[in-house]
Amino acid sequence: MGMFKLLRGALVGVAVMLAHPVVAEDDFGFSDQQTKRTVDTFTYGVEQCATVDVVFRIDCLRQTYSQTVRVISKASVYWEAEVALTRVNRGLYSYVRANTDDNISRVRVNGGRIKALTDASIPQATALYFDAVDKAAAVMRGGSPSETRYFEPIAEAILASKALLQ
């Protein structure tokens, strides 16, 4: 039994050592291309959200943040921006769950099915969104000079999305 545990431990160690370079090769550092992919993903999602009724827009934006986080997570140096976007996504998710209008069927937008909010909850949802976006943009603008250089276009895109709810 002791020999089995020893061999299993050795195999796990070798697997970790072999897997690490693969992860490092797939990881992207700061780049204009990564920033552009992130902004393009977000902007496309917002454009799709503009096509739905206002009761669906908060959940549509939540979905857009989720898709954008998947893109940005491919580059570990963007982790602060990823965390900021994830916070917006999670806040919207919780709000949508608590304020869904069950009398309105979901609609399909940008590859996902989104929920409608109750009419009464939209002003609070809008205020929540504006606050979350402002905080996320502040985080992205508050880093090192190289972070700020690559995060600024993302911050501008999320701030511009507020127009969708005005």
Side-chain angles (χ1 to χ4, degrees), residues 26-42 64-87 89 136 139-140 147 150-155 157-158:
D26 289 343
D27 192 12
F28 303 110
F30 286 125
S31 72
D32 291 328
Q33 294 81 14
Q34 180 65 23
T35 299
K36 183 177 180 340
R37 272 191 298 273
T38 302
V39 170
D40 288 350
T41 299
F42 185 79
T64 298
Y65 277 88
S66 180
Q67 292 168 339
T68 305
V69 165
R70 275 187 243 125
V71 169
I72 204 171
S73 69
K74 297 193 184 325
S76 62
V77 295
Y78 284 77
W79 74 271
E80 286 188 52
E82 178 186 353
V83 169
L85 297 175
T86 299
R87 284 187 183 133
N89 179 38
V139 166
M140 286 187 250
E147 287 174 331
Y150 291 98
F151 295 174
E152 181 61 28
I154 302 166
I158 65 171

Side-chain angles (χ1 to χ4, degrees), residues 57-133:
R57 288 188 182 167
I58 290 292
D59 197 32
C60 188
L61 287 165
R62 180 211 48 82
Q63 176 182 279
T64 298
Y65 277 88
S66 180
Q67 292 168 339
T68 305
V69 165
R70 275 187 243 125
V71 169
I72 204 171
S73 69
K74 297 193 184 325
S76 62
V77 295
Y78 284 77
W79 74 271
E80 286 188 52
E82 178 186 353
V83 169
L85 297 175
T86 299
R87 284 187 183 133
V88 176
N89 179 38
R90 288 184 181 162
L92 295 177
Y93 177 80
S94 297
Y95 192 83
V96 168
R97 273 189 74 155
N99 295 283
T100 298
D101 188 339
D102 294 324
N103 297 318
I104 301 176
S105 298
R106 293 181 183 189
V107 297
R108 185 168 293 281
V109 176
N110 196 14
R113 293 182 42 178
I114 56 173
K115 300 175 185 176
L117 292 180
T118 62
D119 285 328
S121 68
I122 291 173
Q124 185 178 359
T126 300
L128 172 83
Y129 184 73
F130 287 5
D131 184 54
V133 167

